[in-house]
Amino acid sequence: MSMYFVGIDISKYKHDCCIISAADQKLVSRFTVKNDKTGFEQLLTIFNSLSNPQDIRIGFESTAHYALNLELFLENANQSFMEINPVLIKEYKKSTSLRRTKTDSIDCESIARWLMTVEYKPHSKGFYHAYSLKSLTRLRDRLVRQRSFYLVKITNVLDHTFPEFKPFFHERLSKTALYLLENYGSAEKMARMNSASYEKLRSLSRGKFSPQQFIRLKELAANTVGVNNSIFDVELNSLLTLYKSLVKEIDTLETEINKLIEEVRPHYMSVPGIGAISAAVIYSEYGDISNFSTPAQMLAFAGIEPGVNDSGTESHGGRMVKHGSSGLRYVLINCCLPLIRFDMTFATYYAKKRGEGKPHRVAITHVAKKLVRVIYALEKQGVDFNAQKLR
């Protein structure tokens, strides 16, 4: 019974394909299809023309959204496929040739031949949630970064117009602080605030903004060293509008992310410190955890495994390799901050690493590795987190 390995090099407008027979490892066909319905149907026709179309191993590099339509088509046609980390193909090509030649036809053959050397792990069926969450969480991350950018710009304007304002609010632009900027803007206007203004601020802060704070803010506004300039007022209003727009869009995205992750609700959502947004990032980046044979593979995927230098008389570990998704790595490490505060086992493990002389960032990375191993165990066993069973 013949088996075929198919390597597909994904691009925006076309896909280059290569079919190799497992029996003699010879090239059966090399062709190009367009990234449209006609091209996909042509691809399926070629598959069906093979002597054993049911026994096909298809692989292509993970290339963001360019492969999505092909993935959906293959799934609907009951064809399995395997997404591959581009770094693996790059390293495989380097190991098979000294030439630095890169063409789409060479790449698709390299993918097909690489498939022959590894265990075939087809993509899980029904990847809608993983793809949707990846799109939404990555968009949210970009918007959060933009929101931070506008907060910095707002601070820059305040440094000119009212430098005492942000220190008064302990360097944070709280809900009350943003209300003042939106409704008064300049220090001159804040200096003229009256009792009605205070009542609104007291209500907005739920009684936390005291009369003494109100009087002190008015004094700072009246005696500021800032510059009263209409240009800065225009700039501040524009930045506040952009900031508010981003806050609204981020809220909308988070609502949709929460809904999607609740539908799949992975077991690691029961770990203290992993909220809905963090769980969504982990789920979207890792995908189906059954594709990983060991926790070490998950660590390598996130790029939090150490490099190893073992040569001659030298043998020592190195820094984190930092391959893979930086967003996934950031979330895993950030989830550990509440973990070491509220879970005794993780807190003890962190203290142990600190006692070994490791700085905070290194110790928290070790905690992240432990967290990945816990996530792997929970999903493999199909159970929720239980601190009593944790070692």
Side-chain angles (χ1 to χ4, degrees):
M1 185 176 289
S2 183
M3 182 183 294
Y4 300 94
F5 292 90
V6 181
I8 304 178
D9 186 72
I10 303 292
S11 56
K12 187 172 184 178
Y13 299 112
K14 66 180 180 67
H15 305 317
D16 289 88
C17 309
C18 174
I19 302 177
I20 296 176
S21 171
D24 53 14
Q25 298 188 14
K26 289 185 177 179
L27 185 68
V28 175
S29 178
R30 182 184 280 134
F31 55 93
T32 300
V33 297
K34 291 183 178 180
N35 188 17
D36 57 22
K37 185 178 180 181
T38 302
F40 291 173
E41 289 177 347
Q42 177 190 348
L43 181 65
L44 193 58
T45 300
I46 293 172
F47 288 166
N48 291 331
S49 69
L50 299 173
S51 58
N52 189 30
Q54 288 76 33
D55 210 354
I56 298 175
R57 304 286 185 264
I58 303 171
F60 44 81
E61 294 177 331
S62 178
T63 52
H65 63 282
Y66 290 137
L68 177 63
N69 293 333
L70 178 61
E71 290 173 343
L72 292 172
F73 177 82
L74 291 173
E75 184 176 88
N76 291 332
N78 296 315
Q79 292 283 353
S80 67
F81 57 89
M82 180 177 176
E83 274 194 311
I84 306 163
N85 189 324
V87 174
L88 297 177
I89 301 301
K90 181 180 179 181
E91 294 300 319
Y92 174 76
K93 286 174 62 181
K94 286 166 64 176
S95 70
T96 56
S97 175
L98 294 175
R99 294 181 176 179
R100 294 186 178 181
T101 306
K102 187 187 186 320
T103 66
D104 292 342
S105 60
I106 290 176
D107 287 350
C108 64
E109 183 173 346
S110 296
I111 293 170
R113 294 199 179 278
W114 181 86
L115 271 180
M116 300 172 69
T117 67
V118 298
E119 179 187 356
Y120 184 66
K121 296 181 178 180
H123 205 290
S124 59
K125 295 289 184 181
F127 56 93
Y128 165 78
H129 282 87
Y131 179 81
S132 299
L133 284 170
K134 180 178 286 190
S135 298
L136 293 176
T137 53
R138 289 188 173 184
L139 176 58
R140 176 190 173 275
D141 180 65
R142 288 194 293 272
L143 295 186
V144 167
R145 290 174 188 272
Q146 289 182 36
R147 183 181 65 185
S148 299
F149 170 80
Y150 287 126
L151 280 175
V152 171
K153 291 298 181 183
I154 289 170
T155 300
N156 293 345
V157 173
L158 289 172
D159 288 340
H160 290 294
T161 61
F162 193 178
E164 300 87 356
F165 182 82
K166 204 172 176 188
F168 175 80
F169 285 99
H170 307 290
E171 301 298 335
R172 290 182 62 252
L173 290 178
S174 62
K175 189 175 181 180
T176 304
L178 287 170
Y179 171 83
L180 283 164
L181 293 176
E182 291 169 17
N183 291 273
Y184 296 94
S186 67
E188 184 182 5
K189 291 180 180 178
M190 290 187 203
R192 296 199 302 266
M193 291 188 297
N194 54 29
S195 57
S197 305
Y198 170 71
E199 286 303 319
K200 179 62 181 177
L201 291 170
R202 189 184 67 81
S203 174
L204 188 69
S205 65
R206 297 179 180 179
K208 294 180 181 178
F209 197 72
S210 67
Q212 291 76 17
Q213 288 175 302
F214 180 70
I215 294 169
R216 177 59 182 157
L217 180 61
K218 288 188 61 174
E219 289 174 353
L220 289 173
N223 298 289
T224 182
V225 295
V227 178
N228 185 16
N229 189 312
S230 61
I231 298 300
F232 289 132
D233 291 343
V234 171
E235 186 177 356
L236 181 62
N237 288 332
S238 179
L239 289 169
L240 287 168
T241 300
L242 291 168
Y243 175 81
K244 286 175 61 181
S245 174
L246 282 171
V247 169
K248 182 180 179 182
E249 293 305 317
I250 291 169
D251 287 343
T252 301
L253 288 176
E254 289 183 348
T255 299
E256 188 63 27
I257 290 169
N258 288 334
K259 185 175 74 173
L260 285 170
I261 197 63
E262 281 294 335
E263 289 178 6
V264 293
R265 195 160 186 86
H267 293 285
Y268 48 80
M269 272 188 76
S270 58
V271 177
I274 300 184
I277 301 298
S278 296
V281 173
I282 295 169
Y283 184 87
S284 65
E285 297 296 334
Y286 272 131
D288 187 357
I289 288 178
S290 65
N291 290 329
F292 297 91
S293 302
T294 63
Q297 291 181 349
M298 292 179 66
L299 290 172
F301 185 89
I304 54 177
E305 64 170 351
V308 177
N309 188 338
D310 191 347
S311 176
T313 58
E314 291 186 8
S315 180
H316 57 81
R319 297 180 178 180
M320 279 195 306
V321 294
K322 292 189 177 180
H323 286 162
S325 168
S326 59
L328 172 60
R329 190 161 54 250
Y330 175 84
V331 164
L332 286 171
I333 291 174
N334 265 19
C335 285
C336 295
L337 298 176
L339 260 179
I340 62 175
R341 291 180 58 199
F342 301 116
D343 183 88
M344 182 57 69
T345 304
F346 281 98
T348 303
Y349 187 68
Y350 172 79
K352 175 177 176 289
K353 293 300 176 183
R354 290 288 279 158
E356 292 172 0
K358 292 178 170 55
H360 167 73
R361 289 176 66 86
V362 175
I364 207 73
T365 300
H366 280 279
V367 176
K369 294 176 186 178
K370 186 177 181 70
L371 175 61
V372 169
R373 292 192 287 270
V374 169
I375 290 172
Y376 177 84
L378 294 179
E379 295 306 314
K380 286 289 185 178
Q381 297 171 22
V383 297
D384 285 347
F385 179 78
N386 185 341
Q388 302 302 319
K389 296 181 179 179
L390 192 63
R391 299 189 274 114

